[in-house]
Amino acid sequence: MTDHNRIVFGGTPLHLRLNSQLPELTAFVIKRLVEELDVYKQLPAEELSGDIARIIEQAVRMFLKVLRTGTLPEATDLAIVRESAARRAEEGLPIDAVIGAYHVGAQACFEFVEPDVTPDELQSVFEAHRLLFNYLRLTTGAVAAGYLSERQSMFGDEHGARQTLLATLLDDGQPADIPGARLPESYFVISLSVGKHPDETIAGVDPGVAARRKLRRLRTELDRRSREPVLSMLSVDGGLALIPHNTPPASVSKEDWAWLDMLAKALTKVAGAPVVAGVVAAQPTGVSAAARLAGELRDVALIYAKPVGVYRLADLLLEYQLTRPSPARDHLASLLAPVADKPDLLPTLRVFLDSGLNRRQTATQLRVHPNTVDYRLRKIAGLTGLQVARHEDLLSIRAALSALDATNVRG
């Protein structure tokens, strides 16, 4: 058997040489991928320095083991390759680019060390290339298998069954209409709005790839946090998710609602983009109506610029009611019409109310003198007839602001 410690480049066993320079080698391979494969030019920097760098390191370490032992990768090693290829399939990268990356990476590794090869080390070069060709034969096969398996699973029987169940529930379907389905006591029906990841707006980055990566992470996190399969219909900017729950809607606890709010924060973290959602707990027969209400709650939360979180009807009672078109809403909004186009007055009123009617805090936040705050509030009173110092007017002012927001006439 060949002594593979004798595969030397520049007087050093090749596996030791590559291992000692792994960070520099990884960066060199990434540079070559970006130069030679158009798809990789458009990947977010976060993906290149994260997932792609880790995959390169794993692939190099596998080849180092081949160099050190003379044996080809085992099933456990190839499983890592399959899993990585499956992630690329889910993100929508073309299979030729995924396979091509292994060949470009292998070529880059040899370019990294071959300049130091001496004439008497040509036999080492031949032996290293022989091992490399065998290594690529196995790894590219694993890449193709992992990629195609993921693509099939995305449209496989389980996915189809879930989508059929979701469509039936949304179409006012009854449990009897779903043969073989085991339905939970209730669902948390969540209508999600997902903002843009920063990578989606960077010039030169393919926004589609960045958005699909975000979507993959959202789906993974939803499934990870639920004990039962989540039914979902998601796109890169949001959608609908049904999370099974083991108690009737009337028995949902404060802890359950708190868990949902933490879920929104977790989704925001993994997506790298703000997630705001409306949620309704409903029996399976009530999913259709719950989905409509959850969507309305999501829209209300967005209208009022609510922070990241999951919002119930109980959280948005006033805001929800004021978004329903009615003569009363229009009349309320009109109360503040005289100051709606004034650049300083309406923002001052908002900050003053948000600060708990604290003029000094308002002044600090607006970076003006407290006397300026007083002047602006008097100006508002003069134009509208509403005074923040009068309790009966204060309720009308708050309601009028909400109505104004609901008609998208923010000042």
Side-chain angles (χ1 to χ4, degrees), residues 35-94:
E35 289 172 349
E36 298 197 18
L37 298 174
D38 288 340
V39 168
Y40 286 83
K41 293 177 185 176
Q42 301 176 41
L43 290 182
E46 170 262 335
E47 181 172 10
L48 289 172
S49 62
D51 283 354
I52 301 302
R54 285 191 293 272
I55 294 163
I56 292 170
E57 289 187 4
Q58 289 171 351
V60 172
R61 290 185 191 280
M62 273 195 289
F63 185 55
L64 294 182
K65 183 178 178 182
V66 173
L67 289 172
R68 188 177 68 254
T69 65
T71 59
L72 293 175
E74 300 174 352
T76 53
D77 297 320
L78 295 176
I80 296 174
V81 175
R82 288 172 63 100
E83 181 182 346
S84 169
R87 290 198 297 271
R88 303 290 80 76
E90 193 173 2
E91 292 167 6
L93 267 69

Side-chain angles (χ1 to χ4, degrees), residues 11 35 63 86 111 113 118 123 145 177 179 185 206 217 220 256 258 272 297 299 304 312 349 411:
E35 289 172 349
F63 185 55
E111 289 178 0
V113 293
T118 60
Q123 186 59 41
D177 298 332
E185 288 279 350
D206 186 333
R217 294 193 295 265
T220 300
D256 293 325
L297 293 173
D299 292 343
Y304 291 98
R312 301 169 293 162
L349 180 60

